[in-house]
Amino acid sequence: VQLQASGGGLVQPGGSLRLSCAASGSIARLNGWVWYRQAPGEQRDMVAAMASGGGTNYADSVKDRFTISKDDAKNTVYLQMNSLKSEDTAVYYCNARIQRVVGGIRRDYWGQGTQVTVSS
């Protein structure tokens, strides 16, 4: 199983970006998605999460600005980021909890990270 993240870049404060993360390989069931971010010298923090049933959870710092969504047919998760601030600058990582076979164990898989820089 591989997770491929994309969509990062340089954006001005107040701008928007949309991150994508696609899972590929042997996937029997995808149990949930989480976006994390890590700024230099900081710990990796949860940004947004979506369960398989569609329930969502957001860090307080991004509520009402970021939206997580998914396309089950494509095994892809998105993070729409609006009203970006300089403090949103970080490497963003996607995480998926996947069962490779029906009834198998659930394992966490990580994308490679995509840099988001918010600066004028």
Side-chain angles (χ1 to χ4, degrees):
V1 174
Q2 290 187 327
L3 270 58
Q4 181 69 43
S6 61
L10 173 64
V11 63
Q12 293 186 344
S16 298
L17 280 176
R18 188 193 195 206
L19 306 183
S20 301
C21 179
S24 61
S26 178
I27 299 171
R29 180 174 174 82
L30 209 156
N31 293 282
W33 292 97
V34 185
W35 284 100
Y36 291 84
R37 68 185 180 188
Q38 188 169 20
E42 301 290 334
Q43 65 181 15
R44 190 174 295 187
D45 292 324
M46 189 277 288
V47 176
M50 176 169 269
S52 57
T56 59
N57 188 33
Y58 295 92
D60 288 342
S61 59
V62 307
K63 280 180 180 176
D64 300 323
R65 299 190 298 122
F66 290 11
T67 302
I68 187 171
S69 61
K70 63 186 176 79
D71 184 333
D72 291 333
K74 296 181 179 179
N75 285 335
T76 299
V77 68
Y78 306 96
L79 186 66
Q80 178 66 43
M81 305 185 294
N82 299 327
S83 303
L84 282 161
K85 306 175 181 180
S86 58
E87 51 262 44
D88 295 317
T89 296
V91 178
Y92 284 70
Y93 297 91
C94 56
N95 168 279
R97 182 154 293 181
I98 292 171
Q99 291 172 275
R100 297 188 63 187
V101 296
V102 175
I105 61 171
R106 301 179 182 185
R107 288 187 58 190
D108 285 339
Y109 293 85
W110 290 88
Q112 82 282 13
T114 184
Q115 176 70 46
V116 172
T117 302
V118 184
S119 175
S120 55

